Amino acid sequence: AGALLLAFVFAKLGKLAPKAGGPYAYARDWFGPYMGFQTNTIYWFANWIGNVAIPIAAVGYFSYFFPILSEPLVRCIAVLILVWALSFANVIGPAFVSRVQTVTTSFALVPILGIAIFGWFFFDADIFKGAYNVSGESNFGAISSAAALTLWAFIGVESASVTAGVVENPEKNVARATLAGVFLAAIAYIASSSVIMGMVPNGELQTSDAPFALAAAKAVGGWGGALVSLCAFIGAAGSLGGWILLTAQSAKAASDDGLFPSIFSKTNKDDVPVKGVLIVAVLMTLAVLVTSTSETASAQFDVITSAAVVLTLLPYIYSCVACYFVVERSHPLVHTGAFWTLTSLTVVYCLWAIYGSSGTIVQYAFLFVLFTTVFYPFFSEERRQQRQRAREASAISAGARRS
């Protein structure tokens, strides 16, 4: 429900005010350059940190075939190979990446829809009941803790709005893609997650690097686990290319406005920010190395996704508030009350997800948000104008002395 509210916000923004840059552009236009700078910085960090979880998941599923990939060092090398392979794919051009992602997404649907539909034949109500609130917290505490974790499944709800600048007919297509995509994903995720908790005991699910493959193997044998693992690997690996491009495009939009280093604005003949893509790959490499000591891929995945979700929620909140202003400008006053209610509920949902996140991660995220203020003066338009006036005055003074 919270993800659908977010989808509504970004669909409305995409229809009424499609802008390249997504959350960054909305924060910049409605709250000023500083908020735009802060939003882009946080969003950009959240994206490339979250990107790391995708190859980790892909390698985790591939370890079904090669158990040695469960070893931290080997897993680290395999993840880095995927990161750099898909980064170079982006250099070829967004059209190529889009075609690859379209094909690989079809593979990803095989385990999700297969388990969601046929897993019910192997569903055990007792196993499902045994998975009920194993957190040791109250029901409210457990659900709150799950809020941020489940939101990870829908991170990217804003993706269509970020790439509005390269989408045909964005006023219609961004809204359609956002709402339809989240709605279909919600059905698939809820169905598959519910049935898998009735197929595999909770203790095994908690430590599995390839839970869908484990469920398929229990249902039909090793060949089912192998098929699901292969499809999940291809699907996850393919989606990484699109996320890397999304991250680079977000930075480019801010760089074009002078609110991010100019290196991110430089593009090749196909309008791909190549240097931005490569910088993202380098930072992802560092994140992989820092978290590579995790004992399992699932543990490494948890740390990465938790940090990415908490950082992403602040740009989401800004976008919700911007949506109200956009709607107020575009609709009769009598219609704005309903939109105010929906956007307010969405903000409450985002705050609730932060509340339920790990205290340590929220603490570090808060410190990071404060730390971004240190860098804003280097990108402030006022500062650039002052420096330009100082240079002009210095040149006039030097000319007068020569005369």
Side-chain angles (χ1 to χ4, degrees):
L4 285 171
L5 285 172
L6 282 169
F8 165 79
V9 167
F10 284 105
K12 202 68 179 176
L13 287 169
K15 183 177 181 179
L16 298 179
K19 294 179 180 293
Y24 152 70
Y26 299 124
R28 175 200 63 203
D29 290 352
W30 293 101
F31 303 115
Y34 169 70
M35 296 293 273
F37 167 78
Q38 184 196 70
T39 298
N40 179 73
T41 304
I42 296 170
Y43 184 73
W44 184 71
F45 268 82
N47 273 342
W48 66 256
I49 291 172
N51 286 354
V52 176
I54 300 174
I56 290 173
V59 172
Y61 271 96
F62 211 58
S63 66
Y64 185 89
F65 301 101
F66 302 100
I68 193 173
L69 289 172
S70 298
E71 297 292 330
L73 178 60
V74 180
R75 181 175 70 242
C76 178
I77 295 172
V79 168
L80 292 179
I81 290 173
L82 275 180
V83 168
W84 284 98
L86 272 299
S87 297
F88 285 121
N90 269 293
V91 174
I92 298 175
F96 173 77
V97 173
S98 178
R99 287 193 295 269
V100 170
Q101 190 168 1
T102 299
V103 174
T104 57
T105 298
S106 301
F107 281 93
L109 290 174
V110 172
I112 295 174
L113 296 182
I115 294 294
I117 296 172
F118 299 107
W120 296 103
F121 292 104
F122 308 94
F123 183 85
D124 187 321
D126 291 331
I127 293 178
F128 183 80
K129 291 177 182 177
Y132 180 79
N133 193 0
V134 295
S135 66
E137 304 178 26
S138 66
N139 286 347
F140 178 76
I143 295 172
S144 298
S145 297
L149 183 61
T150 52
L151 181 58
W152 165 254
F154 299 99
I155 288 294
V157 63
E158 77 291 348
S159 299
S161 68
V162 173
T163 55
V166 293
V167 173
E168 294 181 7
N169 193 9
E171 290 82 2
K172 290 184 178 180
N173 289 332
V174 168
R176 289 172 178 172
T178 301
L179 284 171
V182 172
F183 182 73
L184 293 173
I187 294 174
Y189 285 146
I190 292 171
S192 59
S193 296
S194 298
V195 71
I196 203 173
M197 287 189 287
M199 295 175 67
V200 182
N202 184 261
E204 295 182 47
L205 279 180
Q206 289 185 27
T207 58
S208 174
D209 290 341
F212 278 84
L214 181 60
K218 284 183 175 291
V220 297
W223 70 267
L227 177 63
V228 166
S229 291
L230 181 61
C231 291
F233 168 76
I234 294 173
S239 69
L240 178 62
W243 270 105
I244 291 175
L245 180 61
L246 175 74
T247 306
Q249 290 282 10
S250 173
K252 180 181 180 300
S255 182
D256 289 342
D257 292 337
L259 292 175
F260 220 53
S262 59
I263 190 172
F264 291 94
S265 288
K266 298 177 181 178
T267 60
N268 62 9
K269 59 182 179 61
D270 297 317
D271 200 34
V272 178
V274 175
K275 292 183 178 180
V277 169
L278 296 179
I279 290 172
V280 168
V282 170
L283 291 172
M284 288 176 64
T285 299
L286 294 175
V288 171
L289 295 175
V290 168
T291 60
S292 62
T293 56
S294 301
E295 292 185 4
T296 64
S298 58
Q300 188 178 14
F301 184 88
D302 287 346
V303 173
I304 293 292
T305 54
S306 296
V309 168
V310 170
L311 287 175
T312 305
L313 283 168
L314 188 58
Y316 281 1
I317 291 172
Y318 292 161
S319 297
C320 290
V321 180
C323 181
Y324 177 76
F325 288 119
V326 170
V327 169
E328 188 177 50
R329 185 184 62 182
S330 309
H331 288 64
L333 187 62
V334 69
H335 293 154
T336 58
F339 290 111
W340 181 88
T341 301
L342 287 173
T343 52
S344 298
L345 285 173
T346 312
V347 169
V348 170
Y349 166 66
C350 292
L351 293 173
W352 177 52
I354 295 174
Y355 163 80
S357 301
S358 164
T360 301
I361 290 178
V362 172
Q363 176 184 353
Y364 283 120
F366 178 70
L367 291 174
F368 172 73
V369 171
L370 293 180
F371 186 61
T372 61
T373 60
V374 174
F375 298 97
Y376 176 66
F378 296 100
F379 302 98
S380 167
E381 179 63 26
E382 293 83 354
R383 180 173 182 266
R384 283 197 296 270
Q385 292 176 357
Q386 289 175 358
R387 296 183 69 182
Q388 180 63 29
R389 287 194 293 267
R391 283 194 293 267
E392 292 174 354
S394 178
I396 293 173
S397 176
R401 287 195 298 271
R402 286 195 296 270
S403 300

